[in-house]
Amino acid sequence: MPIDESRKFVPVNIAVLTVSDTRDLASDRSGETLAGRITAAGHVLAAREIVKDDATLIEAVLRRWIADPQVDCVITTGGTGITGRDVTPEAFARVLEKEITGFGELFRMLSYQKIGTSTIQSRAIGGVAGGTYLFALPGSTGACKDAWDDILVWQLDSRHRPCNLVELMPRLLEHLKAA
């Protein structure tokens, strides 16, 4: 992935939400994996929380962070499967203004190379709401590493060419100004 070193790096304020009925901060390996990678890349860990597998609770945290001008991006881990308790995509559906369909497609394509057809069980999703990027990842540390290392680290780097999500941030609320 080409990084243009002549361009300025712009740190992104990223919040991490772990969705789990069983994890706490001490046992949250996926959230810790993301937090470590975010700060190692030069970004700001704006917030980190854990919430139960409950669409209403997930939605409430998403809406709070979307409304917070100090949060540019939210990455969730957990709750993207297909069991009865997996409701993160449903919470995302309640808040997303635009889906970034390519994120889920690319994640599953990359995941297929490692776990084969089991990737169909992932409902990873990306989108935008209120000028904030939102990405829902599976709860495994491997999935978090793959999503960050192979997709998000590049798209959240303002120096990535030919284009990146950071350079679009000033334009994410254009539809509200036009109205």
Side-chain angles (χ1 to χ4, degrees):
M1 308 279 173
I3 294 293
D4 183 348
E5 297 292 345
S6 70
R7 295 176 59 98
K8 180 183 176 208
F9 177 79
V10 176
V12 177
N13 298 320
I14 304 172
V16 174
L17 178 64
T18 298
V19 177
S20 174
D21 288 337
T22 60
R23 300 282 183 244
D24 58 21
L25 282 177
S27 63
D28 178 20
R29 292 181 40 228
S30 294
E32 187 60 32
T33 295
L34 287 169
R37 279 171 157 68
I38 287 164
T39 56
H43 298 295
V44 176
L45 182 63
R48 182 173 171 207
E49 291 185 27
I50 298 176
V51 69
K52 300 282 184 202
D53 289 280
D54 178 292
T56 301
L57 297 175
I58 298 165
E59 178 186 0
V61 175
L62 293 176
R63 288 192 185 282
R64 180 166 34 91
W65 284 345
I66 291 165
D68 185 341
Q70 298 304 309
V71 175
D72 303 314
C73 177
V74 175
I75 303 174
T76 69
T77 174
T80 62
I82 57 174
T83 69
R85 297 292 296 157
D86 293 320
V87 295
T88 303
E90 286 74 16
F92 267 55
R94 296 177 186 178
V95 301
L96 287 182
E97 294 167 5
K98 294 185 180 190
E99 186 176 344
I100 304 172
T101 53
F103 174 77
E105 294 164 349
L106 180 56
F107 174 80
R108 283 180 286 280
M109 182 195 80
L110 294 168
S111 182
Y112 177 78
Q113 297 169 6
K114 296 182 181 180
I115 65 169
T117 59
S118 296
T119 194
I120 68 165
Q121 296 179 33
S122 169
R123 297 185 300 144
I125 186 173
V128 180
T132 303
Y133 289 115
L134 304 167
F135 298 98
L137 312 179
S140 75
T141 56
C144 290
K145 289 175 184 175
D146 293 344
W148 181 264
D149 296 349
D150 297 337
I151 305 171
L152 295 175
V153 72
W154 305 107
Q155 281 300 298
L156 295 175
D157 191 322
S158 56
R159 304 166 300 166
H160 181 265
R161 307 308 309 126
C163 56
N164 60 76
L165 294 174
V166 180
E167 63 194 3
L168 299 177
M169 288 169 56
R171 299 180 51 210
L172 293 178
L173 297 175
E174 288 176 332
H175 64 290
L176 299 177
K177 294 175 186 167

